[in-house]
Amino acid sequence: MGSNPLPSFVIVLILLVLNGQGPMTAKVEAKSTVHIVYLGERQHDDPKRVTDSHHDLLATVVGSKEVASDLMVYSYRHGFSGFAAKLTESQAQKLSELPGVVRVIPNSLHRLHTTRSWDFLGLSSHYPNHVLQNSKMGDGVIIGVFDTGIWPESKAFSDEGLGPIPSHWKGVCKSGDQFNAATHCNRKIIGARWFIDGFLAEYGQPLNTSDDPEFLSPRDANGHGTHTSSTASGAYVRNVSYRGLLSGTVRGGAPRARLAIYKVCWNVLGGQCATADILKAFDEAIHDGVDVLSLSIGYSLPLFSDVDERDGIATGSFHAVARGITVVCGAANEGPSAQTVQNTAPWILTVAASTMDRALPTPIMLGNNKTFLGQAIFTGKEKGFTSLTYPEGTGLDPTSAGACQSLSLNSTLVAGKVVLCFASVTGRVAVRLAAATVQEAGGIGLIIAKNPSDALIECRDDFPCIEVDYEIGTRILYYIRSTKSPTVKLGHSKTLVGKPVSAKVAFFSSRGPSSIAPEILKPDITAPGVNILAATSQLDQWMDGGYAIHSGTSMATPHVSGIVALLKAIHPDWSPAAIKSALVTTARTKDASGFPLFAEGSPKKLANPFDFGGGIVNPNGAADPGLVYDMGLSDYIHYLCAMGYNNSAISRLTGQSTACPAEKPSFLDVNLPSITISSLRSSVTLTRTVTNVGSPNSIYRADIEPPTGMTVTVKPHILVFNSRTKKISFNVTVCATKQVNTGYFFGSLTWRNEQNAVRIPLSVKTEILESYADDN
């Protein structure tokens, strides 16, 4: 999905759901809604015993096992322990007071984050001896996708040439509405199921409507899930284009990896996903044997804490990562404002979106022989010179009439003409509203002046809507105002790739720092997420021949999921933290021409770690990073203690007795592949540990680029590894050279030898607190 905020009626829906607008249960007198009763790690290895214990626990509150069975929605029994049940507020309160219950929280809703890209990332199949070949294209690795399902007939999911299903797979393929497990699952789609009970228990309305068709099965009515699944692991499909543009071979990042589909999002109001269903999908995926989980799903600001199960993703992903499963999530589409990044837990691999070295220039030829280049997806019938108009206003606000989001047009003045408008709001809504208004008034084309963004918005019925920046829009407007009969000719879009086009962080991509813990750098990494061509559902309204172009961190996330699958195939013993470190420390911060990366925004600026994390993902570099900043359960406990969560909640989450130290530990010592200091008073010293995964006998030297106004020292500044020494800790001391309050400044620490450059970003803000004497 793109970068639009959730419309107000969706927010109302969420509020209604959270306030109990769910179905009645015959044996419950008050209104009941779905609540999630979280019990932490499993106390038994036998799933049946776990489920029986859930029914017993619920029965102590509702009176009998029979009633408990009626009220139970899900039993979480594989990856962790807990259940979802229909409860009144008083029942939920009583359960929360029972021994062993970590928390009881109401169900809630999440939403979706929604060719050339693999060549751009250096994974062209034409080049030997890189990660694609060395990993056998991800063969044997299983990618689990939480999304809207899959369109199994797409050629992207052909199992031609694939071997047997991996032996560690324990999952199932379930038949349902227009989905036959025997024919639609194969050696590519090895698992498919759906989870809707948590959503239906709250939604209380018909699911499958003419406006929002849906299937009670893994079949995808939306297209989002098919798009993300094929991006992560689609097979090679040659000679694909979108309305004649972007032609080439379409494939996923790990073409021989297998797919396990967990449909948790439903085609209602653009795609809605219930926490209870997401947690059940995590529970089953952990049991099924997936190696990677890909979630293009998020919540809304403000964020829930890491131990609050209303998030669902943070809790479920913790249990997955504890079992060696890498969880990849989108950063969200709320950019370019700071502190909008989601999925911020340190055990999650959080992905921002970038453009790539591809553009779709579209010529705009004016009647005065001047030509400007806009951006569009226009391959419709090209017209000759025609009249061009701008809706001039009157009164105290003469420019309001030309605002794209509020056009009010006179069909007599617009019919047969191309209209120019200026968008003062971001997102797709303004453009599509303007296009619909112009079409309804009889116009034949639209030029939209807006804040520059490469995420293009296609208009219906081959209607040309060409985007330009405000400068070009103003020059076109001056031409209109200075000419009695202005004319224009709109040309077809072309596909341009290569060095003339520089990659940038996408306008919509959510930015850091994290609003929960700014010391935990988020996003972690960046991947292409703008104008991505991939397979889609036949019901996708923007589909052309089974494929569609979509933009969002939803599209960036499966790029990284596919790359993680390749790394997992080469390094099956690497932990999720080691894989994250390899990606972050080898990422690119410069474009193909050697210039620093920029970030779209107002204005466009040099990108920094809060825009792109480590940088744009570099798969070939990540396969051989030299050193990794590894983490395990003790590191995550350190983080949870630093967050100030209580010992009981941490113990239940981790499954082991935990007592945080009396003095709260520092975030700065969490062994991340980054250093972020949100409040430097004078100086601070922190510790990191690196593990050698390269040549056993290696020597690395520290190369420091200090942030402006800081001094940075590293001890020791030389690391010597051999067959006995595989891990080395070092201290980093950061000092402020001036006692002033600042914003963030950025630098880097790189460990170098002849083969590797292991780079982590430094982000530091000084904050000098002054004390004021009491004048009284």
Side-chain angles (χ1 to χ4, degrees), residues 6-30:
L6 202 63
S8 59
F9 57 83
V10 180
I11 297 171
V12 171
L13 171 64
I14 293 174
L15 292 175
L16 288 173
V17 170
L18 293 180
N19 283 288
Q21 307 301 311
M24 294 290 289
T25 302
K27 299 184 181 180
V28 180
E29 295 179 0

Side-chain angles (χ1 to χ4, degrees), residues 68-144:
S69 180
D70 290 341
L71 298 178
M72 189 77 71
V73 176
Y74 289 123
S75 172
Y76 307 125
R77 56 186 187 166
H78 298 298
F80 49 93
S81 180
F83 57 88
K86 300 172 188 175
L87 303 171
T88 65
E89 288 301 320
S90 64
Q91 290 169 340
Q93 180 62 36
K94 289 177 182 177
L95 272 169
S96 70
E97 296 169 354
L98 294 178
V101 175
V102 179
R103 191 175 289 103
V104 179
I105 51 96
N107 193 19
S108 54
L109 293 180
H110 291 62
R111 53 179 172 161
L112 299 170
H113 284 160
T114 202
T115 54
R116 167 70 185 169
S117 58
W118 297 114
D119 288 346
F120 168 69
L121 294 176
L123 287 183
S124 170
S125 58
H126 300 300
Y127 298 103
N129 301 320
H130 62 39
V131 64
L132 193 62
Q133 275 67 38
N134 294 341
S135 67
K136 298 181 181 178
M137 301 188 187
D139 199 6
V141 178
I142 302 169
I143 303 174

Side-chain angles (χ1 to χ4, degrees), residues 183-254:
T183 56
H184 291 138
C185 283
N186 54 19
R187 288 169 298 171
K188 166 61 79 172
I189 304 172
I190 62 173
R193 58 173 87 186
W194 71 98
F195 304 89
I196 194 173
D197 291 351
F199 182 76
L200 284 183
E202 303 285 7
Y203 187 51
Q205 298 181 43
L207 187 66
N208 185 8
T209 67
S210 57
D211 291 333
D212 295 310
E214 189 48 280
F215 305 98
L216 285 176
S217 76
R219 184 171 290 280
D220 182 9
N222 179 285
H224 192 275
T226 302
H227 202 280
T228 57
S229 298
S230 63
T231 300
S233 182
Y236 283 86
V237 184
R238 304 187 187 282
N239 301 317
V240 173
S241 68
Y242 186 77
R243 308 195 191 285
L245 298 171
L246 315 178
S247 58
T249 297
V250 172
R251 66 171 177 85

Side-chain angles (χ1 to χ4, degrees), residues 543-586:
M543 182 271 300
D544 178 42
Y547 295 84
I549 295 173
H550 290 306
S551 297
T553 54
S554 282
M555 285 66 242
T557 299
H559 277 86
V560 174
S561 303
I563 293 166
V564 169
L566 301 180
L567 297 179
K568 195 77 175 175
I570 298 173
H571 304 288
D573 58 334
W574 278 11
S575 70
I579 289 174
K580 178 197 287 191
S581 174
L583 293 170
V584 172
T585 60
T586 60

Side-chain angles (χ1 to χ4, degrees), residues 488-537:
V488 67
K489 179 181 179 182
L490 305 180
H492 282 150
S493 303
K494 307 291 183 184
T495 304
L496 178 65
V497 298
K499 286 187 177 182
V501 184
S502 180
K504 301 176 286 295
V505 177
F507 184 92
F508 57 77
S509 187
S510 287
R511 313 297 165 91
S514 163
S515 59
I516 292 180
E519 292 80 6
I520 308 300
L521 178 63
K522 291 291 175 173
D524 294 300
I525 198 71
T526 301
V530 175
N531 303 331
I532 302 301
L533 179 62
T536 191
S537 165

